Amino acid sequence: FNGKLIVPNSTADNEAINGADIKAKQKIYQFDLVDGVDKVITTPASIDLDKCMWRVVDNYTDVDLSVTLDAANNRVTLLANGGNLTDVRLLLQELLCSVEAV
């Protein structure tokens, strides 16, 4: 095979997945945090925060960090207490499976 294969957006579970469909469900944000000051990040409507896994990567200081996901307003709020943080990264990834009540 020589060249590229164009995959349209999938509409059913048994169809190939377009790379753009996957990228629309995940984001990496990089920023600095000031001690005691909220950092609010508006996320795309394409990401359902109620189905997201998240992870914060920082510069490993003794700082408490809180993260609040607000799905109704497509916002993530981060707050550092105990010091400033630089080059923080917030990794968000929406799980594509449905929510199952048990």
Coordinates of all heavy atoms in Angstrom, one line a residue:
F1 N 0.8 -1.2 0.0 CA 0.0 0.0 0.0 C 0.9 1.2 0.0 O 1.8 1.4 0.8 CB -0.9 0.0 1.2 CG -1.9 1.1 1.3 CD1 -3.0 1.1 0.6 CD2 -1.6 2.2 2.1 CE1 -3.9 2.2 0.6 CE2 -2.5 3.3 2.2 CZ -3.6 3.3 1.4
N2 N 0.7 2.1 -0.9 CA 1.5 3.3 -1.0 C 0.5 4.5 -1.1 O -0.3 4.6 -2.0 CB 2.3 3.3 -2.3 CG 3.3 4.4 -2.3 OD1 3.5 5.2 -1.3 ND2 4.0 4.6 -3.4
G3 N 0.6 5.4 -0.2 CA -0.3 6.6 -0.1 C -1.0 6.7 1.2 O -0.6 6.3 2.2
K4 N -2.2 7.2 1.1 CA -3.0 7.4 2.3 C -4.4 6.9 2.1 O -4.9 6.9 1.0 CB -3.0 8.8 2.8 CG -3.6 9.8 1.8 CD -3.5 11.2 2.4 CE -4.0 12.2 1.4 NZ -3.9 13.6 1.9
L5 N -5.0 6.6 3.2 CA -6.4 6.1 3.2 C -7.2 7.2 4.0 O -6.9 7.5 5.1 CB -6.5 4.8 3.9 CG -7.9 4.2 4.1 CD1 -8.6 3.9 2.8 CD2 -7.9 3.0 5.0
I6 N -8.2 7.7 3.3 CA -9.1 8.7 4.0 C -10.3 8.0 4.6 O -11.0 7.2 4.0 CB -9.7 9.7 2.9 CG1 -8.5 10.4 2.1 CG2 -10.5 10.7 3.6 CD1 -7.6 11.2 3.0
V7 N -10.4 8.2 5.9 CA -11.5 7.5 6.7 C -12.5 8.6 7.1 O -12.2 9.6 7.8 CB -10.9 6.9 8.0 CG1 -12.1 6.3 8.8 CG2 -9.9 5.9 7.6
P8 N -13.7 8.5 6.6 CA -14.8 9.5 7.0 C -15.1 9.3 8.5 O -14.7 8.4 9.1 CB -16.0 9.1 6.1 CG -15.8 7.7 5.8 CD -14.3 7.4 5.8
N9 N -15.8 10.4 9.0 CA -16.2 10.3 10.4 C -17.1 9.1 10.6 O -18.0 8.8 9.7 CB -17.0 11.5 10.8 CG -16.1 12.8 10.8 OD1 -14.9 12.7 10.7 ND2 -16.7 13.9 11.0
S10 N -16.9 8.3 11.6 CA -17.7 7.1 11.9 C -19.1 7.5 12.5 O -19.2 8.5 13.2 CB -17.0 6.2 12.8 OG -16.8 6.8 14.1
T11 N -20.1 6.7 12.1 CA -21.4 6.9 12.6 C -21.9 5.7 13.4 O -23.0 5.7 14.0 CB -22.4 7.3 11.5 OG1 -22.4 6.2 10.5 CG2 -22.0 8.6 10.9
A12 N -21.2 4.6 13.4 CA -21.6 3.4 14.1 C -20.4 2.7 14.7 O -19.2 3.0 14.3 CB -22.2 2.4 13.1
D13 N -20.6 1.9 15.7 CA -19.5 1.3 16.4 C -18.7 0.3 15.6 O -17.5 0.1 15.9 CB -20.1 0.5 17.6 CG -20.5 1.4 18.8 OD1 -20.2 2.6 18.7 OD2 -21.2 0.9 19.7
N14 N -19.2 -0.2 14.5 CA -18.5 -1.1 13.7 C -17.8 -0.5 12.5 O -17.4 -1.2 11.6 CB -19.4 -2.3 13.2 CG -20.5 -1.8 12.3 OD1 -20.7 -0.6 12.1 ND2 -21.2 -2.7 11.7
E15 N -17.6 0.8 12.5 CA -16.9 1.6 11.5 C -15.5 2.0 11.9 O -15.3 2.2 13.1 CB -17.7 2.8 11.0 CG -19.1 2.4 10.4 CD -19.9 3.6 10.1 OE1 -19.5 4.8 10.4 OE2 -21.0 3.4 9.5
A16 N -14.6 2.2 11.0 CA -13.3 2.7 11.3 C -13.4 4.1 11.9 O -14.3 4.9 11.7 CB -12.4 2.8 10.1
I17 N -12.4 4.5 12.8 CA -12.5 5.7 13.5 C -11.5 6.7 12.8 O -10.3 6.4 12.6 CB -12.1 5.6 15.0 CG1 -13.1 4.7 15.7 CG2 -11.9 6.9 15.6 CD1 -12.7 4.4 17.1
N18 N -12.0 7.9 12.5 CA -11.2 9.0 11.9 C -10.3 9.6 13.1 O -10.8 9.8 14.2 CB -12.2 10.0 11.4 CG -11.5 11.2 10.7 OD1 -10.7 11.8 11.3 ND2 -11.8 11.4 9.4
G19 N -9.1 9.9 12.8 CA -8.2 10.5 13.8 C -8.8 11.8 14.4 O -8.6 12.1 15.5
A20 N -9.4 12.6 13.5 CA -10.0 13.8 14.0 C -11.1 13.6 15.1 O -11.3 14.4 16.0 CB -10.6 14.6 12.9
D21 N -11.8 12.4 14.9 CA -12.9 12.1 15.9 C -12.2 11.8 17.3 O -12.8 12.2 18.3 CB -13.6 10.9 15.5 CG -14.5 11.1 14.2 OD1 -14.8 12.3 13.9 OD2 -14.9 10.1 13.6
I22 N -11.1 11.2 17.3 CA -10.4 10.9 18.5 C -9.8 12.2 19.1 O -10.0 12.5 20.3 CB -9.2 9.9 18.3 CG1 -9.8 8.5 17.8 CG2 -8.4 9.7 19.5 CD1 -8.8 7.6 17.4
K23 N -9.2 13.0 18.3 CA -8.6 14.3 18.8 C -9.6 15.2 19.4 O -9.3 16.0 20.2 CB -7.8 14.9 17.7 CG -6.5 14.2 17.3 CD -5.8 14.9 16.2 CE -4.6 14.2 15.8 NZ -3.9 14.8 14.6
A24 N -10.9 15.1 18.9 CA -11.9 16.0 19.3 C -12.3 15.7 20.8 O -13.0 16.4 21.4 CB -13.1 16.0 18.4
K25 N -11.9 14.5 21.2 CA -12.3 14.0 22.6 C -11.2 14.1 23.6 O -11.3 13.6 24.7 CB -12.8 12.6 22.5 CG -14.0 12.4 21.6 CD -15.2 13.1 22.1 CE -16.4 12.9 21.3 NZ -17.6 13.7 21.8
Q26 N -10.1 14.8 23.3 CA -9.0 14.9 24.2 C -8.3 16.2 24.0 O -8.2 16.8 22.9 CB -8.1 13.7 24.1 CG -7.6 13.4 22.7 CD -6.9 12.1 22.5 OE1 -7.0 11.2 23.4 NE2 -6.2 11.9 21.5
K27 N -7.7 16.7 25.1 CA -7.0 18.0 25.0 C -5.8 17.9 26.1 O -5.9 17.2 27.1 CB -7.9 19.1 25.4 CG -8.8 19.6 24.4 CD -8.1 20.4 23.3 CE -9.0 21.3 22.6 NZ -8.3 21.9 21.4
I28 N -4.8 18.7 25.8 CA -3.7 19.0 26.7 C -3.6 20.5 26.8 O -3.3 21.1 25.8 CB -2.4 18.3 26.3 CG1 -2.5 16.8 26.1 CG2 -1.3 18.7 27.3 CD1 -1.3 16.1 25.6
Y29 N -3.7 21.0 28.0 CA -3.6 22.4 28.3 C -2.3 22.6 29.1 O -2.1 21.9 30.1 CB -4.8 23.0 29.1 CG -6.1 22.9 28.3 CD1 -6.9 21.8 28.6 CD2 -6.5 23.8 27.4 CE1 -8.2 21.7 27.9 CE2 -7.7 23.7 26.7 CZ -8.5 22.6 27.0 OH -9.7 22.5 26.3
Q30 N -1.5 23.7 28.8 CA -0.4 24.0 29.6 C -0.5 25.4 30.1 O -0.9 26.3 29.3 CB 0.9 23.9 28.8 CG 2.2 24.1 29.6 CD 3.4 23.8 28.8 OE1 3.5 22.8 28.1 NE2 4.5 24.5 29.1
F31 N -0.1 25.7 31.4 CA -0.3 27.0 32.0 C 0.5 27.0 33.3 O 1.0 26.0 33.7 CB -1.8 27.2 32.3 CG -2.5 26.0 33.0 CD1 -2.5 25.9 34.3 CD2 -3.0 25.0 32.2 CE1 -3.0 24.8 34.9 CE2 -3.6 23.9 32.8 CZ -3.6 23.8 34.2
D32 N 0.5 28.2 33.9 CA 1.1 28.4 35.2 C 0.0 28.7 36.2 O -1.1 29.2 35.8 CB 2.1 29.7 35.2 CG 3.3 29.4 34.3 OD1 3.7 28.3 34.1 OD2 3.9 30.5 33.9
L33 N 0.2 28.4 37.4 CA -0.8 28.7 38.5 C -0.2 29.6 39.5 O 1.0 29.3 39.9 CB -1.3 27.4 39.1 CG -2.2 26.5 38.3 CD1 -2.4 25.2 39.0 CD2 -3.5 27.2 38.0
V34 N -0.9 30.6 40.0 CA -0.5 31.4 41.0 C -1.2 31.0 42.3 O -2.4 30.7 42.3 CB -0.9 32.9 40.7 CG1 -0.5 33.8 41.9 CG2 -0.2 33.4 39.4
D35 N -0.5 30.9 43.4 CA -1.0 30.5 44.7 C -2.3 31.2 45.0 O -2.3 32.4 45.1 CB 0.1 30.7 45.8 CG -0.3 30.2 47.1 OD1 -1.2 29.4 47.2 OD2 0.3 30.6 48.1
G36 N -3.3 30.4 45.2 CA -4.6 30.9 45.7 C -5.5 31.6 44.6 O -6.5 32.1 44.9
V37 N -5.1 31.5 43.4 CA -5.8 32.2 42.3 C -6.4 31.1 41.3 O -5.6 30.3 40.8 CB -4.9 33.2 41.5 CG1 -5.7 33.8 40.3 CG2 -4.4 34.2 42.4
D38 N -7.7 31.1 41.2 CA -8.3 30.1 40.3 C -7.9 30.3 38.8 O -7.7 31.4 38.4 CB -9.9 30.3 40.3 CG -10.5 29.7 41.5 OD1 -9.9 28.9 42.2 OD2 -11.7 30.1 41.8
K39 N -7.6 29.2 38.2 CA -7.4 29.2 36.7 C -8.6 28.5 36.1 O -8.8 27.3 36.4 CB -6.1 28.4 36.4 CG -5.8 28.2 35.0 CD -5.4 29.5 34.3 CE -5.0 29.2 32.8 NZ -4.7 30.5 32.2
V40 N -9.3 29.2 35.3 CA -10.5 28.6 34.7 C -10.2 28.4 33.2 O -9.8 29.3 32.5 CB -11.8 29.5 34.8 CG1 -13.0 29.0 34.1 CG2 -12.1 29.8 36.3
I41 N -10.5 27.1 32.7 CA -10.2 26.8 31.4 C -11.6 26.4 30.8 O -12.3 25.5 31.3 CB -9.2 25.6 31.3 CG1 -7.9 26.0 31.9 CG2 -9.1 25.1 29.8 CD1 -6.9 24.8 32.0
T42 N -11.9 27.0 29.7 CA -13.2 26.7 29.0 C -12.8 25.6 28.0 O -11.9 25.7 27.2 CB -13.7 27.9 28.2 OG1 -14.0 28.9 29.2 CG2 -15.0 27.5 27.5
T43 N -13.5 24.5 28.0 CA -13.3 23.3 27.2 C -14.2 23.3 26.0 O -15.3 23.9 26.1 CB -13.4 22.0 28.0 OG1 -14.7 21.9 28.5 CG2 -12.4 22.0 29.1
P44 N -13.9 22.6 24.9 CA -14.8 22.5 23.8 C -16.1 21.8 24.1 O -16.0 20.8 25.0 CB -14.0 21.8 22.7 CG -12.6 21.7 23.2 CD -12.6 21.9 24.7
A45 N -17.2 22.2 23.5 CA -18.4 21.5 23.8 C -18.4 20.0 23.3 O -19.2 19.2 23.7 CB -19.6 22.2 23.1
S46 N -17.4 19.7 22.4 CA -17.3 18.3 21.9 C -16.8 17.4 23.0 O -16.9 16.2 22.8 CB -16.4 18.3 20.7 OG -15.1 18.7 21.1
I47 N -16.3 17.9 24.1 CA -15.8 17.0 25.2 C -16.8 17.0 26.3 O -17.2 18.1 26.9 CB -14.4 17.5 25.7 CG1 -13.4 17.4 24.6 CG2 -14.0 16.7 27.0 CD1 -12.0 17.9 25.1
D48 N -17.3 15.8 26.7 CA -18.3 15.7 27.8 C -17.5 15.5 29.1 O -17.0 14.4 29.3 CB -19.2 14.5 27.5 CG -20.2 14.2 28.6 OD1 -20.2 14.9 29.6 OD2 -21.1 13.4 28.3
L49 N -17.4 16.5 29.9 CA -16.6 16.4 31.1 C -17.2 15.4 32.1 O -16.4 15.0 32.9 CB -16.5 17.8 31.8 CG -15.8 18.9 31.0 CD1 -15.8 20.2 31.7 CD2 -14.3 18.4 30.7
D50 N -18.4 15.0 32.0 CA -19.0 14.0 32.8 C -18.4 12.6 32.5 O -18.5 11.7 33.3 CB -20.5 13.9 32.7 CG -21.2 15.1 33.5 OD1 -20.6 15.6 34.5 OD2 -22.3 15.4 33.1
K51 N -17.7 12.5 31.4 CA -17.2 11.2 31.0 C -15.6 11.2 30.8 O -15.0 10.4 30.2 CB -17.8 10.7 29.7 CG -19.3 10.4 29.8 CD -19.9 10.1 28.5 CE -19.2 9.0 27.7 NZ -19.8 8.7 26.4
C52 N -15.0 12.3 31.4 CA -13.6 12.5 31.2 C -12.7 11.9 32.4 O -13.1 11.9 33.5 CB -13.3 14.0 31.2 SG -13.5 14.7 29.5
M53 N -11.6 11.4 31.9 CA -10.5 11.1 32.9 C -9.6 12.3 32.8 O -9.4 12.9 31.7 CB -9.8 9.8 32.5 CG -10.5 8.6 32.6 SD -9.5 7.1 32.3 CE -8.6 7.4 30.8
W54 N -9.0 12.7 33.9 CA -8.0 13.8 33.8 C -6.8 13.5 34.7 O -6.9 12.7 35.6 CB -8.7 15.1 34.3 CG -9.3 15.1 35.6 CD1 -10.6 14.7 36.0 CD2 -8.6 15.4 36.9 NE1 -10.7 14.8 37.3 CE2 -9.5 15.2 37.9 CE3 -7.3 15.7 37.2 CZ2 -9.2 15.4 39.2 CZ3 -7.0 15.9 38.5 CH2 -7.9 15.8 39.5
R55 N -5.8 14.2 34.4 CA -4.5 14.1 35.1 C -3.8 15.4 35.0 O -3.8 16.1 34.0 CB -3.6 13.0 34.6 CG -2.3 12.9 35.3 CD -1.5 11.7 34.8 NE -0.2 11.6 35.4 CZ 0.1 10.9 36.5 NH1 -0.9 10.2 37.0 NH2 1.3 10.9 37.0
V56 N -3.3 15.8 36.2 CA -2.5 17.1 36.2 C -1.0 16.7 36.4 O -0.7 15.9 37.2 CB -3.0 18.0 37.3 CG1 -2.0 19.2 37.4 CG2 -4.4 18.4 37.1
V57 N -0.2 17.3 35.6 CA 1.3 17.1 35.7 C 1.9 18.4 36.0 O 1.6 19.4 35.3 CB 1.8 16.5 34.3 CG1 3.3 16.3 34.5 CG2 1.2 15.3 33.9
D58 N 2.6 18.5 37.1 CA 3.2 19.8 37.5 C 4.7 19.6 37.8 O 5.2 18.5 37.5 CB 2.4 20.4 38.7 CG 2.5 19.6 40.0 OD1 3.5 18.9 40.2 OD2 1.6 19.7 40.7
N59 N 5.3 20.6 38.4 CA 6.7 20.5 38.6 C 7.0 20.0 40.0 O 8.1 20.3 40.6 CB 7.4 21.9 38.4 CG 6.7 23.0 39.2 OD1 5.7 22.8 39.9 ND2 7.3 24.2 39.2
Y60 N 6.2 19.1 40.6 CA 6.4 18.3 41.7 C 6.9 19.1 43.0 O 7.9 18.8 43.6 CB 7.4 17.2 41.4 CG 6.9 16.3 40.3 CD1 7.5 16.4 39.0 CD2 5.8 15.4 40.5 CE1 7.0 15.6 38.0 CE2 5.4 14.7 39.4 CZ 5.9 14.8 38.2 OH 5.5 14.0 37.2
T61 N 6.1 20.1 43.3 CA 6.4 20.8 44.5 C 5.4 20.4 45.6 O 4.4 19.7 45.3 CB 6.3 22.4 44.3 OG1 5.0 22.7 43.8 CG2 7.3 22.8 43.2
D62 N 5.6 20.9 46.8 CA 4.7 20.6 47.9 C 3.5 21.5 47.9 O 3.3 22.3 48.8 CB 5.4 20.6 49.2 CG 6.4 19.5 49.4 OD1 6.2 18.5 48.7 OD2 7.4 19.8 50.1
V63 N 2.7 21.5 46.8 CA 1.6 22.4 46.6 C 0.3 21.5 46.5 O 0.3 20.5 45.8 CB 1.8 23.3 45.4 CG1 0.5 24.1 45.1 CG2 3.0 24.1 45.5
D64 N -0.7 21.9 47.2 CA -2.0 21.2 47.1 C -2.7 21.8 45.8 O -2.8 23.0 45.6 CB -2.9 21.4 48.3 CG -2.4 20.7 49.5 OD1 -1.8 19.6 49.4 OD2 -2.5 21.3 50.6
L65 N -3.2 20.9 45.0 CA -3.9 21.3 43.8 C -5.3 20.7 43.8 O -5.5 19.5 44.0 CB -3.1 20.8 42.6 CG -3.6 21.2 41.2 CD1 -3.5 22.7 41.0 CD2 -2.7 20.5 40.2
S66 N -6.3 21.6 43.5 CA -7.7 21.0 43.4 C -8.1 21.3 41.9 O -7.7 22.3 41.3 CB -8.6 21.7 44.3 OG -8.8 23.1 44.0
V67 N -8.9 20.3 41.4 CA -9.5 20.4 40.1 C -11.0 20.2 40.2 O -11.4 19.2 40.8 CB -8.9 19.3 39.2 CG1 -9.4 19.4 37.8 CG2 -7.3 19.5 39.1
T68 N -11.8 21.1 39.6 CA -13.2 21.0 39.5 C -13.7 21.0 38.1 O -13.3 21.9 37.3 CB -13.9 22.1 40.3 OG1 -13.3 22.2 41.6 CG2 -15.4 22.0 40.3
L69 N -14.4 19.9 37.7 CA -15.0 19.9 36.4 C -16.4 20.3 36.4 O -17.2 19.8 37.2 CB -14.9 18.4 35.8 CG -13.5 18.0 35.2 CD1 -12.4 18.0 36.3 CD2 -13.6 16.7 34.5
D70 N -16.8 21.3 35.6 CA -18.1 21.8 35.5 C -18.7 21.5 34.1 O -18.5 22.3 33.2 CB -18.1 23.3 35.8 CG -19.5 24.0 35.7 OD1 -20.5 23.3 35.4 OD2 -19.5 25.2 35.9
A71 N -19.3 20.3 34.0 CA -19.8 19.9 32.7 C -20.9 20.8 32.1 O -21.0 20.9 30.9 CB -20.3 18.4 32.8
A72 N -21.7 21.3 33.0 CA -22.8 22.2 32.5 C -22.3 23.4 31.8 O -23.0 23.9 30.9 CB -23.7 22.6 33.7
N73 N -21.2 23.9 32.2 CA -20.6 25.1 31.6 C -19.4 24.9 30.8 O -18.7 25.9 30.4 CB -20.4 26.2 32.7 CG -21.7 26.6 33.3 OD1 -22.6 27.1 32.7 ND2 -21.8 26.4 34.6
N74 N -19.0 23.6 30.6 CA -17.8 23.3 29.8 C -16.5 24.0 30.4 O -15.8 24.7 29.6 CB -17.9 23.6 28.3 CG -19.0 22.7 27.7 OD1 -20.1 23.2 27.6 ND2 -18.6 21.5 27.3
R75 N -16.3 23.9 31.7 CA -15.2 24.6 32.3 C -14.5 23.6 33.3 O -15.1 22.8 34.0 CB -15.7 25.8 33.1 CG -16.1 26.9 32.3 CD -16.3 28.2 33.1 NE -17.2 27.9 34.2 CZ -18.1 28.7 34.7 NH1 -18.3 29.9 34.1 NH2 -18.8 28.5 35.7
V76 N -13.2 23.8 33.4 CA -12.4 23.2 34.4 C -11.7 24.3 35.2 O -11.2 25.2 34.6 CB -11.3 22.3 33.8 CG1 -10.4 21.7 34.8 CG2 -11.9 21.2 32.9
T77 N -11.8 24.2 36.5 CA -11.2 25.2 37.4 C -10.1 24.5 38.2 O -10.4 23.5 38.8 CB -12.3 25.8 38.4 OG1 -13.3 26.4 37.6 CG2 -11.6 26.9 39.2
L78 N -8.9 25.1 38.2 CA -7.8 24.6 39.0 C -7.4 25.6 40.0 O -7.4 26.8 39.7 CB -6.6 24.2 38.1 CG -6.9 23.2 37.0 CD1 -7.3 23.8 35.7 CD2 -5.8 22.2 36.9
L79 N -6.9 25.1 41.2 CA -6.5 26.0 42.2 C -5.3 25.4 42.9 O -5.4 24.3 43.4 CB -7.6 26.3 43.2 CG -7.3 27.2 44.4 CD1 -7.0 28.6 44.0 CD2 -8.5 27.2 45.4
A80 N -4.2 26.2 43.0 CA -3.0 25.8 43.7 C -3.0 26.5 45.1 O -3.3 27.7 45.2 CB -1.8 26.1 42.9
N81 N -2.7 25.7 46.1 CA -2.6 26.3 47.5 C -1.3 25.9 48.0 O -0.9 24.7 48.1 CB -3.7 25.8 48.4 CG -5.0 26.5 48.1 OD1 -5.1 27.7 48.1 ND2 -6.1 25.8 47.9
G82 N -0.5 26.9 48.5 CA 0.8 26.6 49.1 C 2.0 27.0 48.2 O 3.1 26.8 48.6
G83 N 1.7 27.6 47.0 CA 2.8 28.0 46.2 C 2.4 28.1 44.8 O 1.3 27.7 44.4
N84 N 3.2 28.7 44.0 CA 3.0 28.9 42.5 C 3.5 27.6 41.8 O 4.4 27.0 42.3 CB 3.7 30.1 42.0 CG 3.3 31.4 42.6 OD1 2.2 31.5 43.0 ND2 4.2 32.4 42.6
L85 N 2.9 27.3 40.7 CA 3.3 26.2 39.9 C 3.5 26.7 38.5 O 2.8 27.5 37.9 CB 2.2 25.1 39.8 CG 1.9 24.4 41.1 CD1 0.8 23.4 41.0 CD2 3.2 23.6 41.6
T86 N 4.6 26.2 37.8 CA 4.9 26.6 36.4 C 4.8 25.4 35.5 O 5.0 24.2 35.9 CB 6.3 27.2 36.3 OG1 7.2 26.2 36.8 CG2 6.4 28.5 37.2
D87 N 4.5 25.6 34.3 CA 4.4 24.6 33.3 C 3.5 23.4 33.7 O 3.8 22.2 33.4 CB 5.8 24.1 32.9 CG 6.6 25.2 32.2 OD1 6.1 26.0 31.6 OD2 7.9 25.2 32.4
V88 N 2.4 23.7 34.3 CA 1.4 22.7 34.6 C 0.7 22.2 33.3 O 0.4 23.0 32.4 CB 0.3 23.3 35.6 CG1 -0.7 22.3 35.9 CG2 1.0 23.8 36.9
R89 N 0.5 21.0 33.3 CA -0.3 20.4 32.1 C -1.5 19.7 32.7 O -1.4 18.9 33.6 CB 0.5 19.4 31.3 CG 1.6 20.2 30.5 CD 2.2 19.3 29.5 NE 3.2 20.0 28.8 CZ 3.9 19.5 27.8 NH1 3.8 18.2 27.4 NH2 4.8 20.2 27.2
L90 N -2.7 20.0 32.1 CA -3.9 19.3 32.4 C -4.2 18.4 31.2 O -4.3 18.9 30.0 CB -5.0 20.3 32.6 CG -6.4 19.7 32.7 CD1 -6.6 18.8 33.9 CD2 -7.5 20.8 32.7
L91 N -4.3 17.1 31.4 CA -4.6 16.1 30.3 C -6.0 15.7 30.5 O -6.4 15.2 31.6 CB -3.7 14.9 30.4 CG -2.2 15.2 30.7 CD1 -1.5 13.9 30.9 CD2 -1.6 15.9 29.6
L92 N -6.9 15.9 29.5 CA -8.3 15.5 29.5 C -8.5 14.5 28.4 O -8.1 14.7 27.3 CB -9.2 16.7 29.2 CG -9.5 17.7 30.3 CD1 -10.4 18.8 29.8 CD2 -10.1 17.1 31.5
Q93 N -9.3 13.5 28.7 CA -9.6 12.5 27.7 C -11.0 11.9 28.0 O -11.3 11.4 29.1 CB -8.6 11.3 27.7 CG -8.9 10.3 26.6 CD -7.9 9.2 26.5 OE1 -7.3 8.9 27.5 NE2 -7.7 8.7 25.3
E94 N -11.9 12.2 27.1 CA -13.3 11.6 27.2 C -13.3 10.2 26.9 O -12.8 9.8 25.8 CB -14.3 12.4 26.4 CG -15.7 11.9 26.5 CD -16.7 12.6 25.5 OE1 -16.4 13.7 25.1 OE2 -17.7 11.9 25.2
L95 N -13.9 9.4 27.7 CA -14.1 8.0 27.4 C -15.3 7.8 26.4 O -16.3 8.5 26.6 CB -14.4 7.2 28.7 CG -13.3 7.2 29.7 CD1 -13.7 6.5 31.0 CD2 -12.0 6.6 29.1
L96 N -15.1 7.0 25.4 CA -16.1 7.0 24.4 C -17.3 6.0 24.7 O -18.3 6.0 24.0 CB -15.5 6.6 23.0 CG -14.4 7.6 22.5 CD1 -13.8 7.1 21.2 CD2 -15.0 9.0 22.3
C97 N -17.1 5.2 25.7 CA -18.2 4.2 26.0 C -19.3 5.0 26.7 O -19.2 6.1 27.2 CB -17.6 3.1 26.9 SG -16.9 3.8 28.4
S98 N -20.5 4.3 26.7 CA -21.6 4.9 27.4 C -21.6 4.7 28.9 O -20.9 3.8 29.4 CB -22.9 4.3 26.8 OG -23.0 3.0 27.0
V99 N -22.3 5.5 29.6 CA -22.4 5.3 31.1 C -23.4 4.2 31.4 O -24.5 4.2 30.8 CB -22.8 6.6 31.7 CG1 -23.0 6.4 33.2 CG2 -21.8 7.7 31.4
E100 N -23.0 3.3 32.2 CA -23.9 2.1 32.5 C -24.3 2.2 34.0 O -23.4 2.2 34.9 CB -23.1 0.8 32.3 CG -24.0 -0.4 32.5 CD -23.3 -1.7 32.1 OE1 -22.4 -1.7 31.2 OE2 -23.6 -2.7 32.8
A101 N -25.5 2.3 34.2 CA -26.0 2.3 35.6 C -26.0 0.9 36.2 O -26.4 -0.1 35.5 CB -27.5 2.9 35.7
V102 N -25.5 0.7 37.4 CA -25.4 -0.6 38.0 C -26.1 -0.6 39.4 O -26.2 0.5 40.0 CB -24.0 -1.1 38.1 CG1 -23.4 -1.3 36.8 CG2 -23.1 -0.1 38.9

